[in-house]
Amino acid sequence: MSATRFTTPFNARSTAADVVAGVDLTGQRAIVTGASSGIGVETARALATAGAEVTLAVRDVRAGERTAEDIRSTTANGLIRVAPLDLSDQGSIAAFVTAWEGPLHILVNNAGVSATPETRTPEGWELQFATNHLGHFALTTGLHRALAAAGQARVVSLSSIAHVQAPMVFEDVNFRERPYDRMLAYGESKTATALFAVEANRRWADDGITVNAANPGAVTTNLGRHLTEEDYANLPAFDFKTPEQGAATSVLLATWPQLGGTGGRYFEDCNQAVRHSAETPLQGVADHAIDPAAAERLWQVSLDMLAEARRA
Protein backbone atom coordinates (compact mmCIF):
# COMPACT_ATOMS: atom_id res chain seq x y z
CA MET A 1 0.00 0.00 0.00
CA SER A 2 1.05 3.59 -0.53
CA ALA A 3 2.69 5.23 2.46
CA THR A 4 -0.05 7.84 2.73
CA ARG A 5 -3.62 6.71 2.15
CA PHE A 6 -5.62 9.14 0.03
CA THR A 7 -8.95 10.09 1.59
CA THR A 8 -11.78 12.40 0.54
CA PRO A 9 -14.91 13.92 2.13
CA PHE A 10 -17.04 11.36 0.26
CA ASN A 11 -18.13 7.88 1.31
CA ALA A 12 -20.10 4.78 0.31
CA ARG A 13 -23.38 6.69 0.20
CA SER A 14 -22.10 9.56 -1.94
CA THR A 15 -23.44 9.72 -5.48
CA ALA A 16 -21.74 10.59 -8.73
CA ALA A 17 -23.64 13.90 -8.69
CA ASP A 18 -22.28 14.68 -5.21
CA VAL A 19 -18.73 14.04 -6.35
CA VAL A 20 -18.93 16.12 -9.52
CA ALA A 21 -20.71 19.10 -7.93
CA GLY A 22 -18.71 22.24 -8.66
CA VAL A 23 -16.38 20.49 -11.13
CA ASP A 24 -16.08 22.11 -14.56
CA LEU A 25 -15.11 19.76 -17.41
CA THR A 26 -15.90 22.19 -20.22
CA GLY A 27 -13.59 21.49 -23.15
CA GLN A 28 -12.65 18.03 -21.91
CA ARG A 29 -13.40 14.83 -23.81
CA ALA A 30 -14.34 11.57 -22.13
CA ILE A 31 -15.03 7.97 -23.11
CA VAL A 32 -17.07 5.62 -20.94
CA THR A 33 -17.18 1.98 -22.01
CA GLY A 34 -20.36 0.03 -21.35
CA ALA A 35 -22.29 3.25 -20.92
CA SER A 36 -25.70 2.04 -22.10
CA SER A 37 -26.68 0.43 -18.79
CA GLY A 38 -25.98 0.29 -15.06
CA ILE A 39 -23.33 2.46 -13.48
CA GLY A 40 -21.91 3.32 -16.89
CA VAL A 41 -24.97 5.45 -17.59
CA GLU A 42 -24.61 7.36 -14.33
CA THR A 43 -20.88 7.78 -14.85
CA ALA A 44 -21.50 9.29 -18.27
CA ARG A 45 -24.34 11.44 -16.93
CA ALA A 46 -22.14 12.92 -14.20
CA LEU A 47 -19.36 13.75 -16.65
CA ALA A 48 -21.91 15.34 -18.98
CA THR A 49 -23.38 17.34 -16.10
CA ALA A 50 -19.93 18.84 -15.54
CA GLY A 51 -19.77 19.88 -19.20
CA ALA A 52 -17.59 17.21 -20.78
CA GLU A 53 -18.02 15.89 -24.29
CA VAL A 54 -18.83 12.23 -23.59
CA THR A 55 -18.59 9.29 -25.97
CA LEU A 56 -20.62 6.25 -24.98
CA ALA A 57 -18.62 3.25 -26.22
CA VAL A 58 -21.14 0.42 -26.41
CA ARG A 59 -21.87 -2.93 -28.02
CA ASP A 60 -25.53 -2.11 -28.62
CA VAL A 61 -25.57 1.18 -30.51
CA ARG A 62 -29.37 1.41 -30.43
CA ALA A 63 -29.37 1.16 -26.63
CA GLY A 64 -26.52 3.63 -26.56
CA GLU A 65 -28.52 6.14 -28.60
CA ARG A 66 -31.44 5.84 -26.18
CA THR A 67 -29.07 6.47 -23.28
CA ALA A 68 -27.43 9.40 -25.05
CA GLU A 69 -30.81 11.06 -25.62
CA ASP A 70 -31.70 10.57 -21.96
CA ILE A 71 -28.40 12.14 -20.85
CA ARG A 72 -28.79 15.05 -23.25
CA SER A 73 -32.28 15.76 -21.92
CA THR A 74 -31.33 15.52 -18.23
CA THR A 75 -28.08 17.51 -18.46
CA ALA A 76 -28.76 19.98 -21.29
CA ASN A 77 -25.42 18.87 -22.72
CA GLY A 78 -25.66 18.15 -26.43
CA LEU A 79 -22.10 16.83 -26.68
CA ILE A 80 -23.01 13.20 -26.10
CA ARG A 81 -21.86 10.77 -28.76
CA VAL A 82 -22.26 7.04 -29.34
CA ALA A 83 -19.68 4.72 -30.90
CA PRO A 84 -19.70 0.95 -31.38
CA LEU A 85 -17.23 -1.04 -29.28
CA ASP A 86 -17.16 -4.76 -28.51
CA LEU A 87 -14.34 -5.40 -26.05
CA SER A 88 -14.28 -9.12 -26.81
CA ASP A 89 -13.53 -8.35 -30.48
CA GLN A 90 -10.04 -7.06 -31.23
CA GLY A 91 -11.18 -5.88 -34.66
CA SER A 92 -13.87 -3.72 -33.06
CA ILE A 93 -11.33 -2.24 -30.64
CA ALA A 94 -8.90 -1.46 -33.46
CA ALA A 95 -11.65 0.24 -35.45
CA PHE A 96 -12.67 2.37 -32.45
CA VAL A 97 -9.06 3.44 -31.81
CA THR A 98 -8.49 4.27 -35.49
CA ALA A 99 -11.64 6.38 -35.61
CA TRP A 100 -10.73 8.44 -32.54
CA GLU A 101 -9.29 11.84 -33.39
CA GLY A 102 -7.80 14.45 -31.09
CA PRO A 103 -7.00 14.43 -27.38
CA LEU A 104 -8.71 12.32 -24.74
CA HIS A 105 -8.89 13.66 -21.19
CA ILE A 106 -10.87 10.93 -19.41
CA LEU A 107 -11.20 7.21 -20.12
CA VAL A 108 -13.43 5.15 -17.84
CA ASN A 109 -13.00 1.43 -18.50
CA ASN A 110 -16.38 0.52 -17.08
CA ALA A 111 -17.75 -2.27 -19.30
CA GLY A 112 -17.56 -5.87 -18.18
CA VAL A 113 -19.03 -9.34 -18.08
CA SER A 114 -19.45 -11.51 -15.02
CA ALA A 115 -19.83 -15.21 -14.16
CA THR A 116 -20.32 -16.24 -17.75
CA PRO A 117 -20.55 -19.90 -18.77
CA GLU A 118 -17.28 -21.12 -20.26
CA THR A 119 -16.95 -19.11 -23.46
CA ARG A 120 -13.97 -18.38 -25.66
CA THR A 121 -13.21 -15.63 -28.14
CA PRO A 122 -12.05 -16.53 -31.66
CA GLU A 123 -8.47 -16.32 -30.33
CA GLY A 124 -9.28 -19.00 -27.74
CA TRP A 125 -9.16 -16.54 -24.84
CA GLU A 126 -11.45 -17.00 -21.84
CA LEU A 127 -14.22 -14.45 -22.30
CA GLN A 128 -14.08 -12.68 -18.93
CA PHE A 129 -10.32 -12.12 -19.04
CA ALA A 130 -10.55 -11.19 -22.72
CA THR A 131 -13.31 -8.62 -22.15
CA ASN A 132 -12.69 -7.18 -18.71
CA HIS A 133 -8.90 -6.93 -18.93
CA LEU A 134 -7.47 -7.65 -22.36
CA GLY A 135 -10.07 -5.66 -24.30
CA HIS A 136 -9.57 -2.62 -22.10
CA PHE A 137 -5.80 -3.12 -22.25
CA ALA A 138 -5.88 -3.00 -26.04
CA LEU A 139 -8.22 -0.01 -26.01
CA THR A 140 -6.22 2.02 -23.51
CA THR A 141 -2.81 1.32 -25.00
CA GLY A 142 -4.29 2.10 -28.41
CA LEU A 143 -5.48 5.47 -27.11
CA HIS A 144 -2.23 6.28 -25.32
CA ARG A 145 -1.25 8.98 -27.79
CA ALA A 146 -4.64 10.70 -27.42
CA LEU A 147 -4.37 10.54 -23.62
CA ALA A 148 -0.84 11.95 -23.66
CA ALA A 149 -1.95 14.75 -26.00
CA ALA A 150 -4.61 15.87 -23.51
CA GLY A 151 -2.21 16.76 -20.71
CA GLN A 152 -3.16 15.55 -17.22
CA ALA A 153 -5.42 12.79 -18.58
CA ARG A 154 -7.05 10.28 -16.26
CA VAL A 155 -7.87 6.61 -16.75
CA VAL A 156 -10.18 4.66 -14.45
CA SER A 157 -10.01 0.85 -14.46
CA LEU A 158 -12.97 -0.85 -12.80
CA SER A 159 -12.18 -3.75 -10.49
CA SER A 160 -14.28 -5.63 -7.91
CA ILE A 161 -14.07 -7.11 -4.41
CA ALA A 162 -14.17 -10.44 -6.27
CA HIS A 163 -10.45 -10.00 -6.85
CA VAL A 164 -9.53 -10.88 -3.27
CA GLN A 165 -9.87 -14.65 -3.71
CA ALA A 166 -8.27 -14.72 -7.14
CA PRO A 167 -4.58 -13.97 -7.62
CA MET A 168 -3.39 -14.21 -11.20
CA VAL A 169 -2.44 -17.69 -12.39
CA PHE A 170 -0.12 -16.53 -15.15
CA GLU A 171 0.57 -20.03 -16.36
CA ASP A 172 -3.10 -20.52 -17.24
CA VAL A 173 -4.95 -17.21 -17.62
CA ASN A 174 -7.34 -18.79 -20.10
CA PHE A 175 -8.34 -21.84 -18.04
CA ARG A 176 -6.98 -24.28 -20.58
CA GLU A 177 -5.38 -26.54 -17.96
CA ARG A 178 -7.63 -25.84 -14.97
CA PRO A 179 -11.30 -26.78 -14.68
CA TYR A 180 -13.27 -23.70 -15.59
CA ASP A 181 -14.69 -21.82 -12.60
CA ARG A 182 -16.78 -18.86 -13.73
CA MET A 183 -16.59 -17.01 -10.41
CA LEU A 184 -12.83 -17.53 -10.11
CA ALA A 185 -12.37 -16.43 -13.72
CA TYR A 186 -14.29 -13.25 -12.95
CA GLY A 187 -12.18 -12.61 -9.87
CA GLU A 188 -8.94 -13.08 -11.81
CA SER A 189 -10.12 -10.70 -14.52
CA LYS A 190 -10.72 -8.09 -11.83
CA THR A 191 -7.32 -8.70 -10.27
CA ALA A 192 -6.00 -8.01 -13.75
CA THR A 193 -7.84 -4.71 -14.06
CA ALA A 194 -6.38 -3.58 -10.73
CA LEU A 195 -2.86 -4.62 -11.75
CA PHE A 196 -3.29 -2.77 -15.04
CA ALA A 197 -3.75 0.49 -13.14
CA VAL A 198 -0.51 -0.09 -11.22
CA GLU A 199 1.66 -0.72 -14.28
CA ALA A 200 -0.03 1.75 -16.64
CA ASN A 201 0.44 4.51 -14.09
CA ARG A 202 4.12 3.60 -13.65
CA ARG A 203 4.72 3.65 -17.38
CA TRP A 204 2.68 6.73 -18.24
CA ALA A 205 2.97 9.12 -15.30
CA ASP A 206 5.68 11.05 -17.13
CA ASP A 207 3.20 11.53 -19.98
CA GLY A 208 0.84 13.27 -17.58
CA ILE A 209 -1.52 10.27 -17.47
CA THR A 210 -2.74 8.98 -14.12
CA VAL A 211 -4.41 5.58 -13.85
CA ASN A 212 -6.34 4.26 -10.85
CA ALA A 213 -8.54 1.26 -10.12
CA ALA A 214 -12.05 1.56 -8.73
CA ASN A 215 -14.27 -0.94 -6.96
CA PRO A 216 -17.78 0.45 -7.47
CA GLY A 217 -19.29 -1.77 -4.79
CA ALA A 218 -22.26 -4.09 -5.06
CA VAL A 219 -24.90 -2.75 -7.46
CA THR A 220 -27.78 -4.65 -9.02
CA THR A 221 -27.23 -4.21 -12.77
CA ASN A 222 -27.10 -6.25 -15.97
CA LEU A 223 -23.63 -7.37 -14.90
CA GLY A 224 -25.31 -10.00 -12.74
CA ARG A 225 -27.45 -11.45 -15.51
CA HIS A 226 -25.55 -14.77 -15.47
CA LEU A 227 -25.94 -15.24 -11.72
CA THR A 228 -28.44 -17.86 -10.57
CA GLU A 229 -30.65 -17.78 -7.49
CA GLU A 230 -28.17 -20.17 -5.89
CA ASP A 231 -25.32 -17.80 -6.72
CA TYR A 232 -27.13 -14.92 -5.07
CA ALA A 233 -27.89 -17.08 -2.03
CA ASN A 234 -24.18 -17.81 -1.66
CA LEU A 235 -23.07 -14.20 -1.98
CA PRO A 236 -21.89 -12.38 1.16
CA ALA A 237 -24.25 -9.91 2.78
CA PHE A 238 -23.32 -6.95 0.61
CA ASP A 239 -24.73 -3.51 1.34
CA PHE A 240 -26.04 -2.83 -2.14
CA LYS A 241 -25.71 0.61 -3.69
CA THR A 242 -27.81 2.46 -6.22
CA PRO A 243 -26.26 2.94 -9.68
CA GLU A 244 -25.73 6.60 -8.81
CA GLN A 245 -23.74 5.56 -5.73
CA GLY A 246 -21.92 2.85 -7.63
CA ALA A 247 -20.70 5.39 -10.17
CA ALA A 248 -19.34 7.77 -7.54
CA THR A 249 -15.87 6.26 -7.13
CA SER A 250 -15.26 6.15 -10.90
CA VAL A 251 -16.37 9.76 -11.24
CA LEU A 252 -14.20 10.83 -8.32
CA LEU A 253 -11.12 9.27 -9.92
CA ALA A 254 -12.00 10.82 -13.27
CA THR A 255 -12.69 14.35 -12.07
CA TRP A 256 -11.84 15.33 -8.52
CA PRO A 257 -9.27 18.15 -8.72
CA GLN A 258 -7.41 17.16 -5.54
CA LEU A 259 -6.59 13.78 -7.09
CA GLY A 260 -4.45 15.31 -9.80
CA GLY A 261 -1.22 13.37 -10.18
CA THR A 262 -2.31 10.59 -7.81
CA GLY A 263 -2.20 7.22 -9.57
CA GLY A 264 -1.54 3.53 -9.35
CA ARG A 265 -3.96 3.13 -6.45
CA TYR A 266 -7.13 1.16 -5.73
CA PHE A 267 -10.18 3.05 -4.48
CA GLU A 268 -13.56 2.01 -3.06
CA ASP A 269 -16.34 4.03 -1.46
CA CYS A 270 -14.67 7.19 -2.82
CA ASN A 271 -11.46 6.67 -0.81
CA GLN A 272 -8.25 4.75 -1.27
CA ALA A 273 -8.91 1.22 -0.05
CA VAL A 274 -7.37 -0.22 3.07
CA ARG A 275 -5.50 -3.51 2.94
CA HIS A 276 -7.86 -6.45 2.71
CA SER A 277 -8.03 -8.65 5.80
CA ALA A 278 -10.18 -11.34 7.42
CA GLU A 279 -11.61 -8.62 9.68
CA THR A 280 -12.92 -6.70 6.64
CA PRO A 281 -13.95 -9.47 4.22
CA LEU A 282 -16.05 -7.21 1.99
CA GLN A 283 -13.59 -4.34 1.86
CA GLY A 284 -10.05 -3.55 0.93
CA VAL A 285 -7.53 -4.49 -1.69
CA ALA A 286 -5.49 -7.69 -1.63
CA ASP A 287 -1.73 -7.46 -1.89
CA HIS A 288 -1.75 -9.53 -5.07
CA ALA A 289 -3.86 -6.89 -6.87
CA ILE A 290 -1.37 -4.05 -6.32
CA ASP A 291 1.89 -6.01 -6.55
CA PRO A 292 4.25 -4.14 -8.91
CA ALA A 293 6.03 -7.31 -10.06
CA ALA A 294 2.73 -9.01 -10.94
CA ALA A 295 1.56 -5.83 -12.68
CA GLU A 296 4.69 -5.73 -14.84
CA ARG A 297 4.35 -9.42 -15.66
CA LEU A 298 0.70 -9.04 -16.62
CA TRP A 299 1.56 -6.15 -18.95
CA GLN A 300 4.05 -8.32 -20.81
CA VAL A 301 1.66 -11.29 -20.93
CA SER A 302 -1.01 -9.00 -22.38
CA LEU A 303 1.33 -7.60 -25.02
CA ASP A 304 2.39 -11.11 -25.98
CA MET A 305 -1.21 -12.34 -26.29
CA LEU A 306 -2.19 -9.41 -28.51
CA ALA A 307 0.90 -9.82 -30.66
CA GLU A 308 0.23 -13.54 -31.10
CA ALA A 309 -3.35 -12.79 -32.11
CA ARG A 310 -2.18 -10.29 -34.73
CA ARG A 311 0.21 -12.83 -36.21
CA ALA A 312 -2.44 -15.55 -36.40
Side-chain angles (χ1 to χ4, degrees):
M1 295 292 292
S2 303
T4 303
R5 179 172 171 250
F6 197 101
T7 59
T8 78
F10 306 106
N11 56 43
R13 293 296 145 218
S14 299
T15 65
D18 295 334
V19 168
V20 83
V23 173
D24 184 4
L25 300 179
T26 302
Q28 295 200 27
R29 305 172 76 208
I31 295 170
V32 182
T33 68
S36 61
S37 66
I39 63 175
V41 175
E42 300 311 323
T43 301
R45 192 188 313 276
L47 299 177
T49 298
E53 173 192 312
V54 185
T55 296
L56 315 183
V58 297
R59 281 188 303 174
D60 184 341
V61 173
R62 186 171 298 179
E65 292 289 1
R66 289 194 296 268
T67 299
E69 186 53 42
D70 173 57
I71 293 174
R72 292 184 196 108
S73 65
T74 57
T75 65
N77 182 343
L79 301 175
I80 313 302
R81 314 192 189 289
V82 179
L85 177 66
D86 182 346
L87 288 158
S88 68
D89 181 342
Q90 288 296 312
S92 174
I93 297 166
F96 183 96
V97 168
T98 299
W100 184 266
E101 296 180 352
L104 173 61
H105 303 82
I106 296 168
L107 172 60
V108 182
N109 290 330
N110 166 84
V113 293
S114 169
T116 55
E118 184 169 8
T119 309
R120 299 193 177 276
T121 66
E123 297 86 356
W125 301 332
E126 189 277 316
L127 181 65
Q128 295 184 82
F129 182 79
T131 302
N132 298 345
H133 166 65
L134 207 54
H136 280 125
F137 179 89
L139 175 70
T140 311
T141 54
L143 291 169
H144 172 262
R145 184 177 298 178
L147 290 162
Q152 305 305 309
R154 299 193 191 188
V155 178
V156 184
S157 181
L158 266 72
S159 186
S160 164
I161 191 63
H163 83 271
V164 299
Q165 303 297 333
M168 294 301 305
V169 178
F170 286 107
E171 298 76 16
D172 190 23
V173 295
N174 287 306
F175 284 83
R176 291 193 174 107
E177 306 299 327
R178 296 176 285 168
Y180 180 69
D181 182 319
R182 60 201 180 99
M183 303 303 283
L184 183 61
Y186 177 66
E188 282 189 46
S189 76
K190 290 302 182 176
T191 291
T193 60
L195 289 172
F196 169 77
V198 173
E199 182 66 5
N201 192 77
R202 184 186 74 81
R203 288 172 176 258
W204 296 347
D206 289 346
D207 297 324
I209 304 167
T210 55
V211 189
N212 286 289
N215 169 17
V219 186
T220 302
T221 68
N222 288 341
L223 185 65
R225 63 187 177 275
H226 294 293
L227 295 176
T228 65
E229 289 186 14
E230 182 180 356
D231 290 330
Y232 276 109
N234 290 330
L235 287 177
F238 287 115
D239 188 4
F240 279 83
K241 298 182 179 184
T242 66
E244 293 84 357
Q245 292 167 336
T249 301
S250 295
V251 172
L252 178 107
L253 292 174
T255 68
W256 209 49
Q258 292 88 330
L259 267 166
T262 298
R265 308 192 188 198
Y266 181 105
F267 280 69
E268 63 185 3
D269 298 336
C270 295
N271 289 275
Q272 187 177 349
V274 299
R275 187 177 186 180
H276 178 74
S277 71
E279 287 72 42
T280 57
L282 301 183
Q283 292 181 298
V285 59
D287 289 345
H288 63 249
I290 51 173
D291 174 37
E296 186 174 10
R297 184 177 181 185
L298 176 65
W299 191 280
Q300 189 59 53
V301 166
S302 303
L303 287 176
D304 291 346
M305 290 176 69
L306 292 177
E308 182 180 352
R310 285 192 290 269
R311 289 193 299 267

